[in-house]
Amino acid sequence: MAYLSISNVTKQFGDTVVVDNFNLDIEKGEFVSFLGPSGCGKTTTLRMVAGFEIPTSGKILLDGKDITDKAPNQRNVGMIFQSYALFPNMTVSQNIGFGLRVRKESEATIKQRVDEMVGLINLEKHANKYPYQLSGGQQQRVSLARALANRPQVLLLDEPLSALDAKIRVSLRAEIRAIQKSLGITAIFVTHDQEEALSISDRIVVMNVGEMEQVGTPFEIYNFPKTRFVANFVGSLNTSDAEVVDPAKGFVSVDGVKFTAAEGTENRKKGDKVKIAIRPERLSFASEHKKANVVDATIENITFLGSVVRIQVKIGNTKFNMDTFNNPFLELPRVGSKEQVTCSKEAVLVLDE
Amino acid sequence: MNFSSRLRRIPFWSWVWFILGTLYFLLPLYATLDFSLQMERDVIGLKAYEKAFEDKDFIETFTYSNLLAIATIVMSIILIVPTAYWIRLRLPEARRIVEFLTLMPFVVPAIILVFGLIRIYSSSVMIPFTDIVLIPPLTNYKFGTNILVVAGYMVLAMPYMYRSVDTGMRTVDVLTLTEAAQSLGASWFTIITRIILPNIRAALLSGALLTFAIVVGEVTLASFLGIDAFGPYLFLLGQHRAYEPAALSFVSFILTWIAMGLIQLVTGGQGQTTGAH
Ligand SMILES: Nc1ncnc2c1ncn2[C@@H]1O[C@H](COP(=O)(O)OP(=O)(O)OP(=O)(O)O)[C@@H](O)[C@H]1O
Ligand SMILES: [Mg+2]
């Protein structure tokens, strides 16, 4: 039995279905991200776990107990908001101790736990400051400590890093992950930033307009996207219309150029219209090392992106991006020249049109 | 930009209007002060103030009105804070209706309010179609009258109190703070007393001081309900004496200013705490 189990949960606002038949089991200590575009129902799902919304139908079980209809203050669930939501009238210590005070813990326990939490987030020097005296990153750390001080059964984070600038965002997410691991706390993290989800999670739930598209480890989600939406949303991707030529052998044709796919054609017929998708980093020049697919291409454009060089090539009538690691000794082809480009069978994903 | 260059940027006509406006307020005040100091012939002195403060009725009515003001403020806070809070949290649609209702005292004069109160509460209020008395005639005894007065004052002070509280709640993210507190296990009572009230304390103070000013000077309700409050006392004094009312007016001016200064002080302090980096 999973620690947190969300089963058949649907949420409607009026006639609009915002979350549709959501099913997810989360193990104790797991870090799960909800990833999806704006308005797909991530926050709503999280708020149902927190108790701020009641599902229209379905059940939520936490540690075997049905919490579906429990008030938020009756569940032991920690919540972190994008806007930090620190109490402006309280110092850092008072904010962190608030939940313990509400639960009528002894002053000694409160003091000890607050000190422990302040140490955990490295804000010893700021314990007596008010929220307005702290930077955004520090405020969000206080909010993390405040939620953790109560020893919640689940920690819910709703885009906690969105209001911060890029550098802090990356360092704070590592800090959140490290703290989560060291405490072994179960966490759900909502984000619409795919890089954030990939780097921080044990598992990712990719969502699209109220439905779950795919659930899997970051590795699975990135390398084996099951739907076109996932493939497009996570990582960058070349997609092209194609036609099945030989379902058994995995042959598909893009404007007459033949590709072989490892899987995805078995259940289709010759002549079926499909999409193929190839990640830019899976393409390379055939002059270096030939793989299963070798096709002719024309170099269209070269963009230097720092650690990566993005080369746009034209295969048939379709433009593909190809990423190679930057290397000062790399000899880049000229724009307009003809080259052979290669990729493995596994790199060619066959998706529904 | 330093202060003097900021002053120079203010256009000439703004200065003219500012000075005219200031004179408009200050001249009567000065005249009142000047007059109040001349009670004894050919001597400038505080005789009028002494007389005014010595009067036994002054002390009694003033104390009584202060108590009424405090009761009104406390009851208004108990009624209005949860109402404004709930509207912000759960009933944003009701906001315009409630705002309109709170403005009614500006539309319906106090005299109508007091006659309505007297008409309804001078006899027993029954549960319709039965003989069961819901509320005994309130105007017949002192405590009942006090309840009526305070209720009436709550109505008169509502536009100020509601607006102050609502504005105060706009400056903090009431909804998210509420949810944060709830997820930490707090009950509604805890949230209102420990999170909401402290964060709108400046707004509460300004609402309270305005309420105070209204209640202490109020005449209509107090005279028609026949209570010995400060408003009617001042009114009578004005009809029978010359110098003492001037002295009391000046004192109340000064008190109002001190109150305004206090609001500024507290509001300034809070403006800082709500601004994040
Ligand atoms: N209280 C509500 N009443 C009506 N509709 C709502 C309510 N809350 C959310 N919605 C709608 O539900 C949909 C999903 O909202 P939700 O906030 O869960 O999206 P999200 O995935 O968190 O998006 P974002 O990334 O923008 O935060 C949206 O279309 C939103 O307009
Ligand atoms: Mg959201």
Side-chain angles (χ1 to χ4, degrees):
Chain A
M1 179 80 199
Y3 188 61
L4 174 65
S5 161
I6 305 174
S7 50
N8 303 316
V9 164
T10 295
K11 177 69 185 177
Q12 278 174 263
F13 288 113
D15 288 340
T16 348
V17 180
V18 169
V19 176
D20 194 8
N21 199 26
F22 193 95
N23 279 288
L24 182 68
D25 282 346
I26 299 178
E27 295 305 325
K28 192 163 188 166
E30 209 180 0
F31 194 112
V32 174
S33 291
F34 291 175
L35 174 65
S38 190
C40 70
K42 307 181 294 288
T43 298
T44 306
T45 312
L46 201 72
R47 289 169 62 81
M48 288 192 283
V49 178
F52 299 129
E53 307 282 357
I54 302 296
T56 311
S57 63
K59 276 203 180 324
I60 301 174
L61 301 179
L62 179 57
D63 201 10
K65 291 190 197 69
D66 188 342
I67 58 162
T68 318
D69 299 314
K70 262 196 182 172
N73 59 357
Q74 304 299 314
R75 321 181 172 198
N76 192 11
V77 164
M79 182 96 186
I80 310 258
F81 301 85
Q82 185 181 334
S83 57
Y84 323 132
L86 296 179
F87 306 128
N89 56 317
M90 300 182 194
T91 62
V92 167
S93 298
Q94 289 167 340
N95 263 285
I96 297 175
F98 179 81
L100 300 165
R101 213 152 262 140
V102 163
R103 276 160 214 226
K104 307 222 160 47
E105 301 280 350
S106 72
E107 280 304 316
T109 314
I110 296 175
K111 182 170 183 332
Q112 182 244 324
R113 190 86 58 80
V114 168
D115 286 347
E116 177 192 331
M117 288 298 145
V118 168
L120 193 69
I121 54 164
N122 290 315
L123 285 181
E124 291 93 341
K125 284 199 203 103
H126 305 283
N128 292 319
K129 287 190 176 167
Y130 284 91
Y132 77 93
Q133 296 169 307
L134 302 177
S135 72
Q138 291 170 331
Q139 289 189 54
Q140 197 57 296
R141 268 147 66 199
V142 175
S143 137
L144 178 69
R146 181 178 68 179
L148 292 174
N150 267 6
R151 306 250 156 94
Q153 290 175 283
V154 189
L155 184 64
L156 307 174
L157 307 100
D158 192 355
E159 310 210 20
L161 307 173
S162 303
L164 302 169
D165 63 53
K167 270 238 166 69
I168 309 277
R169 200 150 52 203
V170 172
S171 67
L172 189 51
R173 85 180 178 215
E175 201 173 329
I176 290 177
R177 176 62 158 155
I179 290 174
Q180 177 268 336
K181 265 192 177 156
S182 73
L183 299 180
I185 193 160
T186 312
I188 305 179
F189 183 97
V190 164
T191 178
H192 56 244
D193 180 337
Q194 43 118 352
E195 187 205 322
E196 209 163 271
L198 290 170
S199 66
I200 203 174
S201 325
D202 290 317
R203 273 195 303 159
I204 297 176
V205 179
V206 184
M207 294 175 67
N208 184 21
V209 283
E211 303 199 16
M212 309 169 72
E213 288 273 336
Q214 187 175 352
V215 183
T217 63
F219 187 85
E220 286 166 355
I221 296 280
Y222 189 86
N223 292 312
F224 308 108
K226 286 215 180 95
T227 67
R228 197 169 144 208
F229 175 82
V230 176
N232 261 317
F233 194 76
V234 182
S236 59
L237 196 72
N238 297 298
T239 54
S240 165
D241 292 321
E243 194 181 309
V244 177
V245 176
D246 186 335
K249 294 202 174 110
F251 293 162
V252 293
S253 141
V254 176
D255 310 327
V257 181
K258 196 185 84 181
F259 280 91
T260 314
E263 55 180 280
T265 57
E266 320 74 71
N267 300 323
R268 299 179 203 269
K269 298 190 299 290
K270 181 170 162 25
D272 276 359
K273 299 263 184 267
V274 289
K275 282 260 178 207
I276 62 156
I278 306 173
R279 297 237 181 255
E281 71 272 16
R282 308 287 302 257
L283 289 170
S284 57
F285 289 119
S287 52
E288 293 163 29
H289 176 72
K290 279 199 172 55
K291 296 177 190 151
N293 289 297
V294 178
V295 296
D296 291 326
T298 316
I299 310 296
E300 292 270 310
N301 195 5
I302 298 179
T303 318
F304 184 65
L305 298 175
S307 60
V308 165
V309 180
R310 174 157 292 178
I311 302 166
Q312 195 178 56
V313 299
K314 198 164 162 187
I315 301 173
N317 294 319
T318 312
K319 286 175 184 160
F320 284 82
N321 284 325
M322 178 171 119
D323 286 351
T324 61
F325 281 116
N326 176 32
N327 170 354
F329 307 106
L330 186 73
E331 273 195 39
L332 291 172
R334 264 173 218 288
V335 171
S337 65
K338 298 218 180 307
E339 300 281 340
Q340 282 196 313
V341 167
T342 187
C343 69
S344 66
K345 282 186 195 175
E346 288 73 25
V348 181
L349 308 169
V350 179
L351 306 169
D352 288 329
E353 205 185 16
Chain B
M1 194 161 58
N2 64 34
F3 186 67
S4 68
S5 71
R6 213 180 301 170
L7 278 188
R8 238 177 282 131
R9 284 165 55 95
I10 300 174
F12 172 73
W13 282 107
S14 303
W15 279 112
V16 172
W17 291 122
F18 175 69
I19 290 167
L20 281 179
T22 313
L23 286 180
Y24 183 79
F25 281 107
L26 287 184
L27 277 181
L29 189 62
Y30 172 73
T32 311
L33 173 66
D34 192 45
F35 182 68
S36 71
L37 295 176
Q38 297 177 15
M39 190 170 185
E40 282 169 299
R41 200 177 289 270
D42 301 329
V43 186
I44 302 287
L46 295 173
K47 185 81 183 171
Y49 292 82
E50 262 170 50
K51 280 251 167 184
F53 289 133
E54 265 170 10
D55 189 349
K56 192 170 67 54
D57 286 348
F58 163 77
I59 298 167
E60 268 171 21
T61 56
F62 191 66
T63 315
Y64 180 49
S65 280
N66 274 316
L67 289 177
L68 286 179
I70 291 168
T72 308
I73 290 166
V74 171
M75 292 312 293
S76 293
I77 290 176
I78 292 176
L79 177 74
I80 287 175
V81 170
T83 308
Y85 175 59
W86 203 249
I87 288 169
R88 259 188 187 273
L89 214 58
R90 293 289 143 85
L91 282 174
E93 316 87 281
R95 185 109 162 270
R96 312 192 104 200
I97 301 170
V98 173
E99 247 171 34
F100 177 75
L101 283 179
T102 61
L103 289 179
M104 287 312 279
F106 289 157
V107 184
V108 182
I111 185 91
I112 295 185
L113 173 67
V114 70
F115 275 115
L117 286 175
I118 290 173
R119 200 176 141 65
I120 293 180
Y121 294 105
S122 58
S123 49
S124 299
V125 178
M126 309 274 197
I127 294 175
F129 314 116
T130 66
D131 292 337
I132 303 165
V133 176
L134 200 60
I135 307 171
L138 287 177
T139 49
N140 287 1
Y141 57 107
K142 186 110 177 102
F143 185 69
T145 311
N146 284 340
I147 293 179
L148 277 189
V149 175
V150 169
Y153 285 166
M154 282 169 70
V155 174
L156 295 185
M158 200 151 60
Y160 307 99
M161 203 58 168
Y162 182 80
R163 251 147 224 274
S164 302
V165 168
D166 196 51
T167 312
M169 287 190 185
R170 199 172 311 151
T171 59
V172 284
D173 184 354
V174 172
L175 183 64
T176 316
L177 290 188
T178 300
E179 290 184 346
Q182 276 182 311
S183 72
L184 292 166
S187 63
W188 290 115
F189 182 76
T190 309
I191 295 173
I192 291 186
T193 53
R194 306 267 295 276
I195 311 288
I196 303 301
L197 285 180
N199 282 307
I200 59 166
R201 62 184 188 279
L204 283 182
L205 187 70
S206 68
L209 289 171
L210 286 167
T211 306
F212 192 85
I214 291 168
V215 172
V216 171
E218 208 281 335
V219 181
T220 316
L221 239 69
S223 4
F224 280 94
L225 285 169
I227 57 168
D228 302 320
F230 187 61
Y233 167 78
L234 205 59
F235 183 72
L236 277 181
L237 198 67
Q239 290 187 328
H240 300 294
R241 301 285 169 85
Y243 296 98
E244 289 95 327
L248 288 179
S249 305
F250 186 73
V251 169
S252 65
F253 249 121
I254 300 299
L255 283 180
T256 312
W257 279 9
I258 291 176
M260 305 253 270
L262 275 180
I263 296 177
Q264 279 303 318
L265 213 71
V266 179
T267 323
Q270 195 174 42
Q272 249 184 347
T273 54
T274 46
H277 288 265

